Amino acid sequence: MGKATGFLEFERINPKKRSPEDRMLDWDEMRLPQDPEVVKTQGARCMNCGVPFCQGGVLLNGMASGCPLHNLIPEWNELVYKGQWEEAYKRLTRTSPFPEFTSRVCPAPCEGACTEGYIMDPVTINSIEYEIIEKAFAEGWVLPKKAQKTGKKIAIVGSGPAGLSAAYYLKAVGHDVTVYERSDRAGGLMMYGIPNMKLEKQVVERRLDLMKASGIQFMLNTEVGKDIPAQELVNGYDAVILCAGATKARGLEVEGKDLKGVYYAVDFLKANTKSLLDSKLKDGSYISAKDKDVIIIGGGDTGTDCVATSLRHGCKSVHQFEIMPEPPEKRREETNPWPEWPLKLKVDYGQEEAINLYGRDPRNYLISTKKIVGNEQGEVKEVHTVEINWVKNASGRMIPQEVPGSEKVWKADLVLLAMGFLGPEDTIPNELKLERDFRSNIKADYEVFETNVEKVFAAGDMRRGQSLIVWAIQEGKLAAREVDKYLMGKSVL
């Protein structure tokens, strides 16, 4: 424990962000670095609990409680307080291969489970992690991983967090690793699905450069199952790990869903980031929200990213529809007790920017979309909605019930569907005849990861369904261990 009375002496200080007025003018990262002395005092707030729930990484009521990577949080908090930054970096990377990603885009279930958070504000675990890894890069401590070669060859399909994590660990024990990616840049949704202001792409490229320097090969613009048969990988490698994500977007089955101007959120975000990286949006090959009334159907991080992106385009207005009720301002202990993930209202960066610009939160709760109406040219012009309440049916199940007389028509030029993902695409599973679970994910037990096809493994969202980046990284790490054991008979991972 760095300072026995630290949690009594120091209040939580959140990292500062650039002002909404400033950051909406560009696509640069929002977070500002903290004074190292402030970071040290934040580390001192950690109580080094006898049972550190922050590193538990378990599911409580279907939600992550604590860090799925089982990061040694109290240890590196203490080291930061003592000014031992390099040792803090070593402890952090003992369990986490990519702290620069998780510290930027993970919702921090570690903080939701922090014991201190039971009675006061939790430790700023996420921002301390950010400061450790950024100092490590600045000091030159982050180096390529290399080991004596084993002669074993492994193919990984998909270069998102699960695929990169598996590649990182397998290369670290000496295997030859080739990562197949259908896009023109590696990184998966970290590259194209998360906006630049949230995860700057030079941060992703910085890590990819290190992985390439370690000897990992990336085969870009190569879609397995189309450009190259999946069976060819099975035949040509000692093991194959499928980490292609759960990329089948959930649609909206209402009248007008196929009108011009209705897009999946992931397509909107991907096109914007690709154009930004290719030409700084000068090529016009993106879906513009400029001067448009934008409706975003769905909440969550993706919906927030669509709000922020639309604002930077210069939209006329933006509204976000959420079918669930507005969360409470504080955790409800009777239904959502600590250390469960706290279900409470959060004003994220996109909503913060919209409030600054329009004077109101763009989110509208308990709203159900009935139909989308177009003009004579087949272009969207309106979205028709109705308010709902959640009630129990005869079997005790909660179902939406429409509120009579609550119908409303919203002007819309652009409708973005941000309602999550249904599961993995079918091309590879169908070709290899892989077993699927009831949600269509690839069937492979957790901590085993092997499918019904010999030497074919699956990890990340492709196996568990849409989830957090930190779960994907952990699955990639554990799948790497199982593949190493499969090939070598044992593993040090």
Side-chain angles (χ1 to χ4, degrees), residues 446-482:
Y446 186 63
E447 294 195 342
V448 177
F449 302 101
E450 190 168 10
T451 70
N452 61 299
V453 176
E454 176 70 19
K455 72 178 181 180
V456 176
F457 297 75
D461 289 4
M462 198 170 189
R463 191 204 69 85
R464 71 180 295 126
Q466 181 188 3
S467 191
L468 305 178
I469 182 176
V470 67
W471 277 117
I473 293 172
Q474 176 69 351
E475 291 222 351
K477 176 169 70 173
L478 296 181
R481 180 189 66 189
E482 294 308 306

Side-chain angles (χ1 to χ4, degrees), residues 93-384:
T93 53
R94 179 71 180 82
T95 53
S96 176
F98 312 130
E100 68 271 31
F101 301 155
T102 51
S103 63
R104 285 171 166 86
V105 299
C106 179
C110 52
E111 294 188 16
C114 174
T115 305
E116 202 163 314
Y118 181 60
I119 55 171
M120 55 181 71
D121 289 331
V123 176
T124 55
I125 301 168
N126 185 265
S127 63
I128 295 172
E129 177 187 25
Y130 171 90
E131 297 295 341
I132 293 171
I133 188 60
E134 288 308 311
K135 184 172 181 63
F137 272 108
E139 296 290 343
W141 300 332
V142 189
L143 301 171
K145 292 284 185 181
K146 294 185 179 181
Q148 185 176 347
K149 289 197 171 188
T150 64
K152 301 294 185 181
K153 298 191 307 177
I154 300 153
I156 297 174
V157 181
S159 66
L164 292 183
S165 177
Y168 173 93
Y169 284 105
L170 287 167
K171 189 61 186 175
V173 292
H175 301 308
D176 287 329
V177 179
T178 303
V179 180
Y180 289 84
E181 169 57 54
R182 66 182 176 184
S183 294
D184 61 338
R185 291 180 175 89
L189 286 178
M190 293 188 299
M191 178 60 72
Y192 283 138
I194 300 173
N196 198 70
M197 55 276 193
K198 193 171 177 180
L199 175 58
E200 215 158 21
K201 302 316 160 190
Q202 67 183 34
V203 172
V204 182
E205 292 287 2
R206 180 178 65 182
R207 176 58 67 175
L208 291 170
D209 288 343
L210 278 168
M211 297 181 76
K212 292 171 187 175
S214 74
I216 296 170
Q217 291 187 312
F218 289 89
M219 303 294 291
L220 304 179
N221 295 305
T222 305
E223 183 167 0
V224 175
K226 291 186 178 179
D227 299 318
I228 179 174
Q231 189 62 49
E232 187 174 319
L233 299 188
V234 177
N235 295 341
Y237 288 86
D238 296 301
V240 176
I241 310 179
L242 303 177
C243 302
T247 51
K248 191 183 293 183
R250 187 188 304 276
L252 184 66
E253 295 304 315
V254 298
E255 177 187 334
K257 63 183 176 64
D258 297 320
L259 287 168
K260 296 175 185 176
V262 180
Y263 299 94
Y264 287 116
V266 66
D267 295 334
F268 173 72
L269 296 172
K270 178 179 178 179
N272 186 82
T273 300
K274 179 167 170 50
S275 180
L276 179 68
L277 296 177
D278 287 348
S279 68
K280 296 185 178 179
L281 300 181
K282 293 178 182 178
D283 59 12
S285 60
Y286 63 98
I287 303 161
S288 177
K290 184 174 175 58
D291 298 327
K292 293 179 180 178
D293 294 303
V294 181
I295 300 291
I296 300 161
I297 302 177
D301 291 339
T302 302
T304 297
D305 294 338
C306 288
V307 170
T309 300
S310 298
L311 292 173
R312 282 161 177 75
H313 284 176
C315 63
K316 186 187 299 183
S317 69
V318 60
H319 294 278
Q320 190 176 0
F321 295 165
E322 173 60 72
I323 199 169
M324 300 304 292
E326 182 176 355
E329 289 190 7
K330 295 183 178 180
R331 180 202 294 269
R332 288 179 177 151
E333 289 293 340
E334 64 276 11
T335 57
N336 179 217
W338 175 90
E340 287 183 3
W341 172 253
L343 299 173
K344 60 182 181 179
L345 186 65
K346 175 185 177 183
V347 179
D348 211 334
Y349 79 107
Q351 288 88 34
E352 185 182 36
E353 292 165 0
I355 291 169
N356 178 268
L357 187 62
Y358 300 121
R360 56 165 176 78
D361 195 312
R363 292 172 291 188
N364 299 269
Y365 297 94
L366 295 171
I367 294 283
S368 178
T369 302
K370 299 292 290 182
K371 65 179 178 179
I372 304 172
V373 177
N375 58 24
E376 294 178 353
Q377 289 74 43
E379 301 164 333
V380 61
K381 70 171 186 176
E382 295 171 349
V383 175
H384 292 227

Side-chain angles (χ1 to χ4, degrees), residues 38 52 135 483:
V38 172
K135 184 172 181 63
V483 169

